[in-house]
Amino acid sequence: DYLEGEQHTDIKHEYLGGQVVTMGGASDKHGLIAGSLYAALLPAARRKHCQLFIADMKVRVDHDTGSYFYYPDLLLTCDPDDKESPYYRRHPCLLVEVLSPSTERIDAREKLFAYRLLPSLREYLLLRQDTLHAELYQRRDDGGWTHQRLTQPDDAFSLLCLQVSVSLRDIYADIPELMG
């Protein structure tokens, strides 16, 4: 019912184990940051025959307590069989959230926990929109996670899924006031 309902509304909702939660709209900075990262990653995604989605593709997380559907800001899947539904993906390699004051706690805690339940997920990237700041969580080969914090314009991170490096300068290029 949730998936069907989402096709007939202009308002996005996330589904959290039976509870439907309305999502707020995004700011201009949010859109510029997500758009810049999408533009930076798209050529590498195409070279690797991956699918990169911005804003409207849901990720499905199944857990003991039920199913959860979230709308990450960017979703990358490199699994050619991850096409069970035209409305969600189950096997992302990378998920990205651009933090806003109203979603920061959920993105940095609840979604971090939920997303890490996905066996396919190798990377989770959080980007602040009010300051130059990125946090990258990467799954190690032993199943543990590393955490990297970047705060300078020339700081760069490497994404394992795409074997590409991206600098904060590239991501925040359209918001010069955050460059300092």
Side-chain angles (χ1 to χ4, degrees), residues 40-50 76 78 93-94 122-123 136 138 141 156-167:
L41 298 181
L42 187 59
R46 286 179 172 163
R47 276 193 306 275
K48 292 189 65 76
H49 306 287
C50 298
L76 175 77
C78 296
C93 181
L94 166 70
R122 295 183 67 194
E123 297 162 311
L136 177 63
Q138 292 180 307
D141 290 339
F157 52 85
S158 294
L159 294 174
L160 305 172
C161 293
L162 294 175
Q163 299 172 336
V164 67
S165 182
V166 181
S167 74

Side-chain angles (χ1 to χ4, degrees), residues 44-108:
R46 286 179 172 163
R47 276 193 306 275
K48 292 189 65 76
H49 306 287
C50 298
Q51 293 181 326
L52 181 63
F53 298 96
I54 186 167
D56 290 327
M57 179 57 70
K58 292 176 280 301
V59 61
R60 179 177 178 163
V61 180
D62 292 314
H63 189 260
D64 297 342
T65 58
S67 294
Y68 298 77
F69 291 88
Y70 297 102
Y71 281 97
D73 291 308
L74 270 77
L75 181 155
L76 175 77
T77 181
C78 296
D79 181 340
D81 297 324
D82 194 8
K83 295 179 183 173
E84 170 183 328
S85 167
Y87 305 113
Y88 65 84
R89 295 295 184 260
R90 285 182 184 256
H91 307 289
C93 181
L94 166 70
L95 294 171
V96 178
E97 296 287 358
V98 178
L99 304 177
S100 66
S102 64
T103 66
E104 182 173 356
R105 192 174 57 79
I106 292 167
D107 292 342

Side-chain angles (χ1 to χ4, degrees), residues 18-46:
Q19 183 178 3
V20 177
V21 178
T22 303
M23 296 180 61
S27 71
D28 56 350
K29 289 180 183 177
H30 184 284
L32 291 169
I33 292 166
S36 290
L37 184 57
Y38 180 85
L41 298 181
L42 187 59
R46 286 179 172 163

Side-chain angles (χ1 to χ4, degrees), residues 103-121:
T103 66
E104 182 173 356
R105 192 174 57 79
I106 292 167
D107 292 342
R109 293 183 183 165
E110 176 187 322
K111 289 184 180 181
L112 173 63
F113 174 78
Y115 291 166
R116 286 169 37 164
L117 295 172
L118 296 164
S120 64
L121 189 70

